Structures are given as structure tokens and as C-alpha cells.
Amino acid sequence: MVPAGLPSPDDVDDLYEIAERVLWLATSIVHHANRVRPNPSGLKVGGHQASSASMVSIMTSLWFEQLQPGDRVSVKPHASPVLHAINYLLGELDETYLTTLRSFGGLQSYPSRSKDPDTVDYSTGSVGIGATAPIWGAMARRYVETSFGGAGTGRQYSLVGDAELDEGAVWEAVLDPGINELGEIVWIVDLNRQSLDRVVPNIAARRLEKMFDAAGWQVLTVKFGRLLEKLFARDGGEALRERILDMPNPEYQRLLRCTAQQLRDRLPGNGPDAPTIAEVIGDVDDTVLLEAIRNLGGHDLNALRDAYSRIDDTRPTVIIAYTVKGFGLPTQGHPQNHSSLLTVEEYADLAKSLGTDPDSPWGRFDAGGGPGRVCRDTAKRLRREPVPESSYPTIPADIGRTPKGTATTQAALGRVLLDLTREAPDAAKRVVTVSPDVSSTTNLGGWVNKVGVWSATERHDWFADDTETIMHWREQPTGQHMELGIAETNLVGLMGELGATWSRWGQPLFPIGVMYDPFVERALEPWSYGIYAGGQSILVGTPSGVTLAAEGGAHQSIKTPSIGLEQPGCITYEPAFAIDVEWTLLASIGRLGRPDGTSAYLRLSTRPVDQILADVPVDPAARERRRRQVVAGGYPLIRRDGATVTIAAMGAVMTEAVAAAERLEQSGIIADVLCITSPGQLYRAVQARQGRGNGESWILEQLLPAHRATPMVTVLDGHPHTLAFLATVNRVASTTLGVSTFGQVGSLDEVYRYHRIDTDSIVTAVLDIAGG
């Protein structure tokens, strides 16, 4: 109900009652999981009653007064019980799920689009990623609406914990210059001044305000509720306001744990205004005084309503809402309340204070009462139309060219995209490339010139008439290339949202993000989280490996080849030839934007390779067989009668593998040479053959038939363990060559020799394993 000592407009009284029920339900969801549900293992179940409580008023106000059907909300991870409680009151969640928090097949630990049974707009849980997702969601929605229609309009809200603002990825997103025109972005910061371990001593709202303001955001601060403002309006009340604003966070938090008399002793402080403050609060009723110290703006529904009404829809907005962690619970304000649970006795006392039944906690409102009518009207207002079934353009499997001369796999990427605009324009229209300021150096220049650069508004190209400018930067809402600042986490966050449009609006996009391969690991965690949330995309890492010899160890990737073995929902390719790039890229595009779709990672190189080595079959049937093998994980490049050893190579070092086979033949040792395009696909084939997965095992019979089983040498420009499992297919002896130490600057020959992936090292390894 409304805080004691304040009159209440009729229209907000029902909201306070709803907020109390949301608090009760959210607390009960966690309580049941930990105190009621059987737990034979004895392992901690967990949940966050205090972190949920601080968000109850904010989320009640947002859902039951502000949201429209086109709006989307990213809920801070630890407030997931509040989201489920609200969805339950709106009729979107069956009661049977309320007892399943953190149980197998039940409500997830944190909001999940793909796993929770009720409406979840954004998956959250990994710090900083869920907070920034609505920024990229806004861009994706605008892109779909401009290019295809059907996405409509709507605000993109982020509910962010104040401690989450410590995450650097948050500020990388806030500061990106491309978002200043996205007025649908609204962040609400739950400023409860506590983290997992403690009361944070130096969280300063004024500093946060300046940081957001410097980034061009509108800043609205909701500090105090009407009860405190009423005290501030008294004679001497300004001194009380300054005292509360100036006191350290831990001191304020301690006041929340005080009795009324302790509060009267502590609140005035020891400064010159202490007598004035003591006089201001001297005749205030004990109950009112205790409520007043907790009456921060983030718990005052009228203060929140006022803040929402002042949102400027021409630029991003942040609402900094002062809150109390654990508001309304016995644990409110306690410095270690982050993961604490109410005892059975405290839970019973809470039920008594809220007028609920601890033995029957899941009651909804009477449909005829005021809160029940608000819930019914809100559910009706927020009802969304079903997502239309997606329409998929035809993706060609083979454009039909056979690359000649010398080429790099990196350059092949740009050529395939341009070919796609000619051969399959409907598919090409759905391709969106994304880059962190490396478009020109990753061979996307021709593509960018063709399709233009996306911008929220059209911008004049001042270099359009400069004849010496080769790459043209035409910025407009219909552009198909998106350029962000140098922040890989932003790039993959945007890719994830572009890759989720099929499930949001029934319009599949084919996002392809390009970055330097050494930085893929920096982006891997947020990209993985995007895949988990249903965002399907293609990440291209280029240039890669120690093949980037002149850049030295700081720019030579080692671990990235094994991503395809380890990343769920992703297929990795490392093609050796330009034609392999075409086939794997087209196959990867064909898997995007579908309920059963997958993401892909292509690891490319700037090493020029003679394309004649690919020996692409001329016969159409044989060519199609090769293409299927490339997509499935690998193909035999050289097969010779009497082979006594197998060289399995991947990517840029294929040249060395072929050269080694030729030299060995001169010494009387015949070697088969296999071109591995995807270790992950082959590993899935191995698992499928053992009955442990759903891959296709036929590729193993064509690539590694038992009757050609020989000792094996594997080699790649990356960590050798990536291909080590190949020897287990036929249980043969093996030697694995690759990169397992930091690189060096030098020529390609020098660096390859240093890491023992050069031709001499391959020949030596074969001689050793073959006993020659």
C-alpha cells in the first residue's frame, strides 16, 4: 500500500497493491526452491530475493503503466523472479512453473528467451551483455522495419543493476557514436549501492550522471519519494536533503537497519546542521520516520511515473533510480543480503505483513477488484500478435566459378558477397555485414561500395566526388554494412540481435561480422551468449594465425581453430582455397535465421595461395561431391596408390603439406593428403558414428576409409590439439604439428620454421612416424 503519512491518488493505490503481490510472489518463488522443494543432493539452489525486491516498484510501474506491445525489456539477471511473478499475474505463466525455479526444465536461473516458458525479450545473466542487448535490438528493429517492414516501433528498455556498470562492455556500448540517434533506448539503473560482497563505498550517482551526459544521453535521476520530499519541504529540510546526499553509502545503508530511536540519534550526524536536522524529524511519527528513510525514488510509483513522462524520444535516456536492496523484506539494506534467504519464520512474518498465506502462496487477484482489473487491462494492452512464419530466399550452394591464379581466402570473402548480389539478389538483400573499423583491411571494400553503410539517418558523403577515394562511405537507413567503433563485444552483440530477427518479427537476416582473428577470443563470450539466446550469425576472423608473420606474437591467434569443437550452436570452417570459402560461406548462410539454425565461424588468411592446388573437379557430379565434402568437414586432396602415411592439413599451411608430399614421393614415401575444412564437423561425425550425436558420419568413410588407414601427421596454423582426434578414427599412430607458443616477428618461412609447421618439419615428422 501507499507509504504511511501520504495521501494517494486512486489510480496509484491499485499499483501499490500489485507491487506488494509481485514482491510476495517473487520472494515465494525463491523460497519454495530453497526451503520447500525436496533437495536430495544438498547442493545450494540459490536465488536473489533482495536483488528482486529492489526492482519490484520499477518493474510494476513499467509493466502495468508504461509498456506497449512493441516495447522490449531486458531484465537484470537477478530480478528474474520478478519477471515471472508479473507474467504470472498477467496470465502468461501457469502456476505449475512457480515451484520450478532452477529445476530441470523449469524456470531458468536468469531470464532466457530460449528456455523459459513465459515471455522473455532478452536473455540475460552474463554481466553487461543483457544490459547492452536492447541497443543492438533497436538497430536490428530499425533495419528490419526500413528494409522489409513488419517490425513496427517501440522502446527498448534495459533494467540494469548499478554494480553491472562496472563492466567495461557497458561503456563501450554507451559511448559508441552510432547510437546517439536511437531515442527508443531507455536504461533504468537500479541504484541500490550494493554488490555481491558489500555496500559499495564509492558508487556516486552524480558521477554516473556526468558519464552518461557526456555520451549524449538524456539523464533523469529519481532520488527521493514523496514522503522524503515532504520532509525536505519543512523548515530546515534542505539540510536533511544535503545530509542524505552527502553521507557515504555504507552509512546510509546502516540507517536502514536502525530502530526509530537509533535513526533519530544517527541521522542528524555531527555537522553544523545536526540540530536543524534533529528538529526537522523531531515530531515525525516513528512509523513514518522509518518509512521515510526507505522512501527512495525507485520505490515511489508517482516519482517513477513522472520520470517516464519526461523521456526524450530523440536520444537515448538513462533513468537513475535510487533504491534499497531488499526493499520490503526483513533483509533490506543488510550488507550481505545479496544471496541471503529468508528464514521460515521471516517468510511467515512477511506473509502476515502482506496479508498472504504462506501455505498457499500463489494466489492471483480477484478479477472484479481494482488490482485484478489492472492486471486484465495490462495483459490485453501488452498482447502481441503471433510472429509470422519466416520467408526464406533461396541460397545457392555453388555459384559455379572456379577461381584461378593466386588468391587469399580473405579476399575470397568479399568476392563471394559480390557474386551473391548478382546470382541471388533476394538472398543478398538479407546479408548485413558488421565490422569494428576494419572493413577496408578485411577486403569488404567492394561490398561496402555496392550496398552502402547503414545509418539511422542519411548523411552526406563529402568524398563522393573525390576521384582518389576508392572506398565510398554512403551512409543511409538502407545500407547493408554496419560499422561500429573498435569494440569487439559491441560487434558480436549487434550480430546476435540481427541474427534474432527471424524469431522477433519473422524476417530473417544473415549477419556476417568481420574482425581480426586474434581478437575473436575477446568477443567469444558475448557471441556465445548471443547464440544461446537464439541469435544466429557468421563470425569471420581474418587474418589469422602465425601466418600473419610480420605482426608478431601480439597479433597471431593460436587457440581459435578449436572453437568449432567447443562452441555449442556453431560450425567452424578454416578453408584453404577460395572455392572452399565460397562453398562454406554459402552453406553457413543457408543455416541462418531458422528455428533449427546454427551460427558459423570462418577463420581466413591473407596468405596468397596458388588456386591450382585445389584441383577442383571439372565433372559436375564430381564437383558437387567435392562441395559436399568441403561443407561436411574435409576432402582427400591427393590420393595415391601405395600410400603409407597420411598428411591431414588445414587452412594456410596446405601449401606446405602438398610440398611435403611431393618431396616425400621423391624419397620413395607415398603420402595421401587430406584437406580439413572443419574439425568440428568431423568430430560431430565421429560422435554420430559412436551413437553419441546427430551428425552425419558418411564423411568419415570418404575422408578416412578404414582400408586406407595409415600413420598420420596433422598440421595447422593453430594449436595442434585441434586435429589430434583424427588419428582415433582408425586408431593409427600420429604426430600433431601446430602452434603452441607465442609467435615471433619475421618472414613467413622463418616463423613457420620456428613453430615447426614448415615443409621441412612436415617431412621430418612423416619420416619419424613412418620409420624412414
Side-chain angles (χ1 to χ4, degrees), residues 51 146 202 231 315 380 409 562 573 585-586 655 673-674 704:
S51 292
T146 300
N202 296 317
L231 293 181
R315 57 177 175 151
K380 183 178 179 180
T409 55
S562 64
Y573 291 109
L585 180 62
L586 293 175
T655 300
V673 178
L674 308 181
L704 294 163

Side-chain angles (χ1 to χ4, degrees), residues 517-518 521 544-546 553 555-562 603 716-722 738-743 755:
D517 195 69
E521 288 182 76
S544 62
V546 300
H555 283 74
Q556 295 174 353
S557 52
I558 296 173
K559 293 180 287 183
T560 51
S562 64
R603 190 175 189 251
L716 74 155
D717 182 1
H719 200 282
H721 82 81
T722 308
V739 180
S740 56
T741 61
F742 287 115
H755 290 287

Side-chain angles (χ1 to χ4, degrees), residues 43-247:
L43 294 175
K44 175 185 176 182
V45 176
H48 299 85
Q49 291 173 326
S51 292
S52 292
S54 67
M55 288 298 302
V56 164
S57 302
I58 292 171
M59 293 177 67
T60 299
S61 175
L62 184 61
W63 257 261
F64 292 91
E65 279 199 315
Q66 304 299 325
L67 289 185
Q68 300 301 316
D71 297 343
R72 297 291 185 271
V73 187
S74 173
V75 177
K76 80 170 189 176
H78 292 160
S80 63
V82 181
L83 176 62
H84 298 310
I86 289 174
N87 282 339
Y88 172 65
L89 291 178
L90 296 179
E92 287 198 18
L93 184 66
D94 190 81
E95 180 179 324
T96 56
Y97 280 104
L98 300 183
T99 60
T100 66
L101 179 70
R102 300 188 173 208
S103 67
F104 188 82
L107 299 178
Q108 299 300 295
S109 305
Y110 309 117
S112 171
R113 284 193 73 221
S114 58
K115 297 182 183 295
D116 273 317
D118 50 341
T119 299
V120 175
D121 292 330
Y122 291 99
S123 295
T124 61
S126 189
V127 177
I129 296 174
T132 60
I135 292 177
W136 320 124
M139 294 176 70
R141 186 204 60 75
R142 286 200 183 201
Y143 186 92
V144 168
E145 179 63 22
T146 300
S147 301
F148 306 102
T153 60
R155 285 177 176 166
Q156 300 280 333
Y157 290 91
S158 284
L159 308 182
V160 186
D162 51 9
E164 194 165 15
L165 297 179
D166 291 343
E167 176 58 56
V170 167
W171 296 104
E172 287 181 350
V174 168
L175 293 171
D176 194 281
I179 70 168
N180 284 342
E181 297 172 289
L182 303 180
E184 62 265 48
I185 296 170
V186 180
W187 283 21
I188 305 170
V189 177
D190 173 16
L191 194 77
N192 60 46
R193 296 167 299 280
Q194 286 185 241
S195 64
L196 189 150
D197 291 328
R198 59 177 179 153
V199 176
V200 181
N202 296 317
I203 285 182
R206 294 172 183 175
R207 179 165 58 90
L208 293 175
E209 291 168 5
K210 291 177 181 178
M211 292 169 70
F212 277 102
D213 180 67
W217 289 47
Q218 178 194 23
V219 180
L220 302 173
T221 303
V222 188
K223 295 181 180 178
F224 305 115
R226 290 186 302 143
L227 189 52
L228 268 178
E229 292 289 357
K230 188 176 179 181
L231 293 181
F232 296 155
R234 290 184 165 201
D235 289 340
E238 192 59 32
L240 175 61
R241 180 195 297 271
E242 291 304 313
R243 164 74 174 131
I244 292 176
L245 286 173
D246 292 341
M247 70 173 58

Side-chain angles (χ1 to χ4, degrees), residues 340-500:
S340 65
L341 299 168
L342 299 190
T343 65
V344 173
E345 292 76 16
E346 289 173 330
Y347 181 71
D349 290 342
L350 178 67
K352 183 176 181 180
S353 68
L354 296 178
T356 55
D357 183 356
D359 297 322
S360 182
W362 312 123
R364 287 191 174 103
F365 289 109
D366 180 1
R373 287 193 297 272
V374 172
C375 290
R376 184 184 63 242
D377 293 345
T378 299
K380 183 178 179 180
R381 183 184 78 246
L382 296 182
R383 189 169 296 119
R384 297 172 182 170
E385 295 297 322
V387 176
E389 186 174 343
S390 298
S391 175
Y392 298 94
T394 299
I395 311 296
D398 185 352
I399 291 174
R401 292 190 187 182
T402 301
K404 306 295 184 183
T406 300
T408 72
T409 55
Q410 176 179 291
L413 170 69
R415 282 198 292 270
V416 174
L417 291 177
L418 287 174
D419 286 343
L420 196 64
T421 64
R422 293 185 288 268
E423 301 297 325
D426 289 342
K429 286 179 182 177
R430 296 184 180 271
V431 172
V432 187
T433 55
V434 189
S435 172
D437 197 36
V438 293
S439 302
S440 58
T441 55
T442 54
N443 289 91
L444 287 182
W447 164 261
V448 172
N449 285 344
K450 178 79 172 179
V451 302
V453 178
W454 183 86
S455 175
T457 57
E458 188 163 356
R459 295 187 178 125
H460 183 72
D461 180 7
W462 294 100
F463 289 87
D465 60 347
D466 187 338
T467 58
E468 295 184 3
T469 299
I470 299 176
M471 189 171 177
H472 298 287
W473 210 252
R474 295 178 292 109
E475 297 180 83
Q476 53 202 3
T478 57
Q480 289 180 243
H481 177 74
M482 293 184 172
E483 187 92 351
L484 300 178
I486 305 177
E488 288 76 15
T489 54
N490 287 353
L491 177 133
V492 295
L494 176 55
M495 287 168 57
E497 289 307 313
L498 291 170

Side-chain angles (χ1 to χ4, degrees), residues 560-572:
T560 51
S562 64
I563 288 173
L565 292 170
E566 300 154 1
Q567 175 59 52
C570 171
I571 295 174
T572 294

Side-chain angles (χ1 to χ4, degrees), residues 712-762:
M712 178 181 293
V713 172
T714 63
V715 58
L716 74 155
D717 182 1
H719 200 282
H721 82 81
T722 308
L723 300 180
F725 75 94
L726 291 177
T728 68
V729 173
N730 290 314
R731 294 183 173 87
V732 298
S734 67
T735 297
T736 56
L737 304 180
V739 180
S740 56
T741 61
F742 287 115
Q744 298 286 336
V745 173
S747 69
L748 191 62
D749 289 342
E750 291 172 324
V751 172
Y752 275 13
R753 187 161 51 250
Y754 173 78
H755 290 287
R756 297 182 181 178
I757 57 174
D758 60 319
T759 302
D760 286 350
S761 296
I762 298 172

